[in-house]
């Protein structure tokens, strides 16, 4: 069993050291107090309060509708549970694409109101000015390249990205721009494993993959997907570590049956 005793508090510097030592970084999404407590107790390195909350918590078809206030609510809940993991929060769609002042204000609200450790933003050269401004304010930033769900209406599909040479070249150049700006890492989503390997070799900061193969510095998955709560979503890159859908349905069925048959509560379960 993996033991979390004596593990150091995770900072961006620890992540950099992990890359240098070749120690892989384990990241999962988290959106609420109870799950964040379990993630932290298990020894996860990074909890991402992802805008995937828009999908898995709120039931939207895309990540676009979630608001800054809603992200701050999720991030604050996570922060109340965490003692060791680094907590990264997504800047939601529409809160940083306008201009760098707006981006800085959004990042400051997240840091001030939730107490989180860092923020994540999707994009490369297009968001450089905002990344610069946020980093100048002392806020750590992790980039996100490849499949960027906030741009789903531009691309129209969630298929693998950067399979063509032009897009792959832009992705490599964006990775270097984010590194040069001072980002502490880059999430690489749904790109060919060979390209992710190349990016991981050309940048000195850690890369965290989701559907980007094994030759990256760490992996991230959406919590509800890896726990098997969400059985409608089965991309090739997803490994399910539990089948909570079936266990939870079974628990609910048992409860309903016990209530209807007046088996619950028993004499011992009342005052
Ligand atoms: O919002 C999210 O969950 C993410 C991960 C898929 C990396 O950005």
């Amino acid at each position: 069993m993996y033991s979390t005793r004596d593990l150091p508090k995770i900072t961006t510097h620890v992540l950099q050291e992990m890359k240098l030592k070749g120690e892989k970084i384990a990241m999962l999404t988290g959106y609420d107090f109870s799950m964040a407590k379990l993630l932290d107790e298990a020894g996860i390195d990074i909890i991402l309060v992802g805008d995937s909350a828009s999908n898995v918590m709120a039931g939207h078809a895309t990540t676009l509708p979630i608001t800054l206030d809603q992200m701050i609510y999720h991030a604050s809940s996570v922060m109340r549970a965490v003692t060791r993991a680094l907590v990264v929060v997504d800047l939601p769609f529409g809160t940083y694409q306008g201009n760098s002042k707006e981006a800085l204000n959004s990042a400051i609200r997240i840091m001030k109101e939730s107490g989180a450790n860092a923020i994540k933003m999707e994009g490369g050269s297009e968001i450089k000015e905002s990344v610069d401004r946020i980093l100048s304010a002392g806020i750590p930033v992790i980039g996100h390249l490849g499949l960027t769900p906030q741009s789903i209406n531009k691309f129209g599909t969630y298929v693998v990205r950067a399979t063509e040479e032009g897009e792959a070249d832009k992705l490599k150049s964006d990775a270097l721009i984010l590194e040069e700006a001072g980002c502490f890492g880059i999430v690489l989503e749904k790109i060919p494993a060979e390209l992710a390997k190349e990016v991981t070799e050309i940048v000195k900061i850690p890369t965290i993959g989701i559907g980007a193969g094994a030759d990256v510095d760490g992996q991230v998955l959406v919590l509800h997907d890896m726990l098997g709560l969400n059985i409608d979503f089965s991309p090739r890159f997803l490994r399910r570590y539990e089948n909570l859908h079936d266990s939870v349905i079974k628990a609910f069925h048992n409860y309903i049956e016990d209530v209807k048959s007046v088996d619950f509560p028993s004499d011992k379960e009342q005052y």
Side-chain angles (χ1 to χ4, degrees):
M1 182 65 94
Y2 184 67
S3 165
T4 57
R5 266 192 319 138
D6 305 325
L7 288 178
K9 166 93 187 110
I10 302 294
T11 62
T12 56
H13 299 283
V14 170
L15 298 175
Q16 185 63 58
E17 280 165 24
M18 287 168 84
K19 172 155 182 149
L20 287 173
K21 286 191 273 184
E23 188 186 332
K24 298 285 185 187
I25 298 164
M27 173 167 165
L28 283 170
T29 64
Y31 318 98
D32 67 79
F33 175 84
S34 303
M35 280 294 182
K37 202 161 186 300
L38 294 172
L39 286 165
D40 199 52
E41 187 182 323
I44 201 77
D45 297 313
I46 308 177
I47 298 177
L48 169 65
V49 183
D51 57 1
S52 50
S54 178
N55 309 102
V56 297
M57 300 300 287
H60 293 295
T62 72
T63 58
L64 274 63
I66 199 159
T67 66
L68 190 57
D69 284 338
Q70 288 164 342
M71 290 302 294
I72 290 169
Y73 167 78
H74 286 297
S76 311
S77 309
V78 166
M79 284 310 291
R80 284 191 281 274
V82 169
T83 59
R84 175 185 172 269
L86 185 91
V87 177
V88 178
V89 184
D90 261 326
L91 277 194
F93 175 70
T95 67
Y96 63 99
Q97 289 90 350
N99 58 60
S100 63
K101 186 163 182 270
E102 178 191 43
L104 177 62
N105 288 341
S106 305
I108 287 178
R109 275 203 63 204
I110 287 191
M111 301 300 281
K112 219 178 175 58
E113 296 176 39
S114 75
N117 307 119
I119 57 129
K120 176 164 83 59
M121 295 161 77
E122 296 182 6
S125 55
E126 316 78 17
I127 58 158
K128 177 169 181 328
E129 196 187 315
S130 299
V131 171
D132 283 341
R133 202 153 173 182
I134 293 170
L135 284 164
S136 307
I139 300 171
V141 178
I142 185 167
H144 183 156
L145 299 172
L147 174 63
T148 47
Q150 291 179 10
S151 308
I152 183 59
N153 291 305
K154 177 174 162 192
F155 294 105
T157 92
Y158 288 103
V159 294
V160 182
R161 293 285 144 77
T163 51
E164 306 287 330
E165 200 182 332
E167 205 185 332
D169 286 346
K170 159 132 174 66
L171 191 143
K172 282 186 266 183
S173 139
D174 281 342
L176 290 167
I177 288 170
L178 293 174
E179 174 180 43
E180 167 78 20
C183 288
F184 71 88
I186 304 170
V187 169
L188 297 174
E189 180 164 356
K190 221 167 171 188
I191 61 170
E194 201 47 50
L195 174 61
K197 179 173 188 278
E198 226 185 297
V199 173
T200 302
E201 284 165 1
I202 61 174
V203 297
K204 293 186 188 67
I205 53 176
T207 57
I208 315 277
I210 172 163
D215 293 315
V216 283
D217 300 309
Q219 298 290 335
V220 56
L221 286 174
V222 169
L223 188 68
H224 292 57
D225 300 339
M226 65 83 73
L227 289 177
L229 273 164
N230 178 10
I231 51 166
D232 304 327
F233 183 64
S234 306
R236 171 174 166 163
F237 67 77
L238 174 62
R239 184 178 293 182
R240 288 209 176 92
Y241 286 83
E242 265 304 335
N243 180 355
L244 284 195
H245 171 272
D246 288 3
S247 334
V248 170
I249 290 281
K250 190 165 162 226
F252 291 163
H253 280 163
N254 289 342
Y255 171 73
I256 293 165
E257 213 172 282
D258 288 354
V259 169
K260 304 254 178 212
S261 65
V262 202
D263 180 77
F264 174 78
S266 68
D267 287 348
K268 281 192 201 149
E269 289 161 328
Q270 51 188 291
Y271 302 99

